[in-house]
Structures are given as C-alpha cells and as structure tokens.
Amino acid sequence: MENNVIKLMKEMENEFLAACHDADKFADGNSSAGTRVRKYMQAIKNLAQAVRKEIQNQKNSVLV
C-alpha cells in the first residue's frame, strides 16, 4: 500500500510538470498560460500544506 505522503508528492510533481509546460508558453508571450501557471502554483501550495498535515498526523499516530 502506497503512503498518502507519496501520493500527494506525486500529485505535486504532476502539477509542477504541467506548470513548467505552461511557463514555457508564457515565456513565449502567451499570457493565458501565465494564468494557468498561477493556478498550478496555487494547487501545489495546497498540496504542500496537505503533505505537511499528513506527515504530522502520521507522526502523532505513532506517538500515541
């Protein structure tokens, strides 16, 4: 069984790769791609927070 932290990290990786693709488009002058990059970055931020919470939950469950 795959750990939830690993699942979240893989999801972050997918979001980041998509953001990189659109960042290239933005660099070439496509302003709509910039909006998508910002959307991806917000999703990555939320996933990072979820990773932090999951790690803390796992640490707390071991201590109990």
Side-chain angles (χ1 to χ4, degrees):
M1 185 171 118
E2 192 172 35
N3 189 315
N4 284 337
V5 173
I6 300 301
K7 288 179 185 177
L8 290 167
M9 296 292 291
K10 286 182 179 180
E11 197 173 334
M12 281 178 65
E13 178 184 23
N14 292 337
E15 293 285 332
F16 182 76
L17 292 174
C20 288
H21 179 71
D22 276 331
D24 285 337
K25 289 181 181 180
F26 178 71
D28 290 338
N30 182 340
S31 62
S32 296
T35 301
R36 290 190 297 273
V37 170
R38 292 181 68 235
K39 178 184 165 198
Y40 289 127
M41 296 310 294
Q42 184 65 40
I44 291 168
K45 176 186 168 195
N46 293 338
L47 286 166
Q49 186 63 38
V51 168
R52 290 173 47 87
K53 287 180 182 177
E54 181 62 28
I55 288 172
Q56 192 62 47
N57 288 340
Q58 288 184 22
K59 284 173 57 178
N60 289 341
S61 68
V62 170
L63 297 175
V64 173

